[in-house]
Amino acid sequence: MKINILFILKNKSKTNSKQKCSIACRITLNKKRKEFATGQFINPKNWNPKQQLVKPSEPDEKLINTQLSLIKTKINRAFLMLQVKEESFTVEDIYLQYKGEKTQKEQGTLEAFKRYLESLKKLIGIDIQRATWIKFDYSYKHVKDFIKHKYKRNDYPLNKLKLQFLADFEYYLKTEKGLGQATINKMIQRFRKPVRIAVAEGYLDKDPFMLYKAKRTKNNIVFLSPEELKKLEKHEFSQSRLKFVQALFIFCCYTGLPYRELMDLKQRHIIVGFDGNKWIKMDRKKTSKLLSIPLLPRALKILEHYNQDGYVFPRITNQKYNSYLKEIGAITGIDKKFTTHMARRTFASTVLLYNDVPLEIVSELLGHSSIKITQDSYGKVVEKRISMEINRLKDCN
């Protein structure tokens, strides 16, 4: 970044009563100019534009040259002070710094993101869960690290964002952070939120990322087949902790409850429905959508065993739950990565879709915010089910 300072005569053809014209100063930065009057006047004939000096023939030659030199020194000092701050600035900011006035600071990308985070934080417990805010904060930290890594600065001007910024950010997350495409897509999705708000608030004329398209990812849904689920149900564990986690996992295979709702399940959430059967009725934390799940016989049998007052099941951390599930997978010999979420996927696939339950009902039972999420996640499962039925018809013929 280079600054250019030039003194020029203004209105040489229109001198004042003393046949003198004013000297102006022109600052140029990144092809942008700022001109202002120096308060000095000379006879146009006594100006040396090449040397940027007043000729000795001018009566106040030494005083005027000293003043011009002082102005140039102060401008250079203002330029250096703005550079030290490691923040974006304009030629107008240099002039304001020179005058000792507050600079017209450009809105920064991180500044806009931080402001959005602060407003989002106030909605925790009202419209969003704390986990949602943490995910946005996580994205903010990665954007901050990227700007420091790529541009060697503490922020990046919001109005200079281009589509290439996202391409470079994506490359950085892959190569420097080792993140997968699905995680990167989510991170960029969250980063775009404060950018859109900046457009709405007038900080940006248009969305610089309007033409961005997230790269598609292969969404492999891992679930237990009917045979594997039966194998797990029949296995007798000797350790009580594994018996307990086995029960929790099987219960989720027949209800589709996520871990958080499983731990939050209370007696008041289990009601007798309009059909005389028992249902789970509770809000899903992630989407704030009401879960209405009919209790199948296998789930009811587990409930009878763990029928505690208050919370239905004893408390267990997600970390321990997943750790014990790995042991269960190894002991049963089922060669799949057991996780808390696998049970939910087994409910959607093996228990529902493999038994001809329509996709829109699966979406409702899972508490998805839209059927598109269900289609994106379980479309392949539906295709597999169709293929199985077609093959069955072929065998019959």
Side-chain angles (χ1 to χ4, degrees), residues 33-279:
R33 294 175 173 179
K34 172 65 181 178
E35 282 188 12
F36 63 93
T38 63
Q40 303 300 319
F41 293 86
I42 62 166
N43 188 312
K45 296 176 181 179
N46 297 331
W47 176 246
N48 186 330
K50 193 172 182 179
Q51 294 184 353
Q52 292 279 283
L53 291 170
V54 179
K55 296 175 183 177
S57 49
E58 182 70 28
D60 297 325
E61 171 251 340
K62 287 185 180 180
L63 177 63
I64 296 170
N65 282 335
T66 300
Q67 288 297 320
L68 296 181
S69 177
L70 185 61
I71 289 169
K72 190 171 184 177
T73 300
K74 286 178 70 177
I75 292 171
N76 278 318
R77 187 186 300 137
F79 176 60
L80 287 171
M81 286 178 71
L82 289 172
Q83 281 186 310
V84 167
K85 291 180 181 178
E86 293 187 348
E87 294 176 350
S88 56
F89 58 88
T90 65
V91 69
E92 184 70 28
D93 291 328
I94 297 172
Y95 173 69
L96 292 171
Q97 182 75 31
Y98 154 76
K99 293 283 287 180
E101 297 176 15
K102 190 176 179 181
T103 58
Q104 295 178 339
K105 187 177 177 293
E106 284 183 321
Q107 176 83 350
T109 300
L110 292 175
E111 183 184 356
F113 205 154
K114 193 73 175 175
R115 195 173 69 249
Y116 174 72
L117 276 176
E118 288 168 0
S119 63
L120 196 65
K121 198 170 188 176
K122 294 176 182 176
L123 294 174
I124 294 174
I126 303 172
D127 286 342
I128 65 164
Q129 298 298 313
R130 183 168 182 79
T132 302
W133 183 87
I134 289 170
K135 288 173 184 175
F136 274 92
D137 187 54
Y138 180 66
S139 297
Y140 167 81
K141 286 170 183 172
H142 276 295
V143 174
K144 184 179 180 180
D145 290 345
F146 165 68
I147 289 172
K148 196 73 176 176
H149 173 84
K150 174 77 175 175
Y151 303 103
K152 306 294 187 291
R153 58 202 301 174
N154 294 330
D155 205 346
Y156 189 81
L158 192 65
N159 58 14
K160 286 186 172 59
L161 287 177
K162 299 286 187 284
L163 195 57
Q164 187 60 40
F165 184 95
L166 276 192
D168 293 339
F169 182 44
E170 187 172 347
Y171 180 78
Y172 164 81
L173 293 174
K174 284 179 181 177
T175 57
E176 298 295 326
K177 299 293 184 178
L179 300 180
Q181 191 62 52
T183 305
I184 291 170
N185 288 349
K186 281 289 182 184
M187 198 164 292
I188 289 175
Q189 181 186 337
R190 293 182 187 112
F191 171 49
R192 293 190 66 189
K193 184 74 175 178
V195 173
R196 289 195 186 98
I197 289 173
V199 174
E201 292 177 343
Y203 289 102
L204 287 171
D205 294 330
K206 62 180 182 179
D207 183 356
F209 308 140
M210 194 185 304
L211 300 177
Y212 172 78
K213 286 188 178 179
K215 291 178 182 174
R216 293 183 68 86
T217 57
K218 289 182 180 179
N219 196 7
N220 294 322
I221 301 296
V222 180
F223 57 91
L224 296 181
S225 67
E227 296 75 24
E228 289 168 335
L229 182 55
K230 281 182 182 178
K231 185 178 181 180
L232 175 64
E233 289 178 32
K234 288 179 179 178
H235 193 93
E236 292 288 337
F237 290 97
S238 58
Q239 291 176 290
S240 58
R241 62 182 176 86
L242 295 183
K243 277 185 179 179
F244 169 55
V245 170
Q246 177 193 29
L248 287 181
F249 187 83
I250 293 170
F251 182 79
C252 290
C253 285
Y254 286 96
T255 60
L257 282 184
Y259 165 78
R260 183 160 187 175
E261 281 66 32
L262 177 68
M263 288 292 100
D264 287 347
L265 185 64
K266 294 182 178 180
Q267 289 297 336
R268 62 183 173 84
H269 295 133
I270 299 166
I271 64 162
V272 176
F274 66 95
D275 55 359
N277 297 315
K278 285 187 176 180
W279 289 61

Side-chain angles (χ1 to χ4, degrees), residues 223 348-349 353-354 357-359 362 374-375 377-389:
F223 57 91
S349 306
L353 291 171
Y354 274 29
V357 175
L359 197 65
V362 175
T374 320
Q375 288 169 335
S377 298
Y378 296 97
K380 292 290 181 184
V381 178
V382 175
E383 286 178 13
K384 187 176 179 181
R385 177 64 183 164
I386 292 169
S387 176
M388 287 167 63
E389 289 299 319

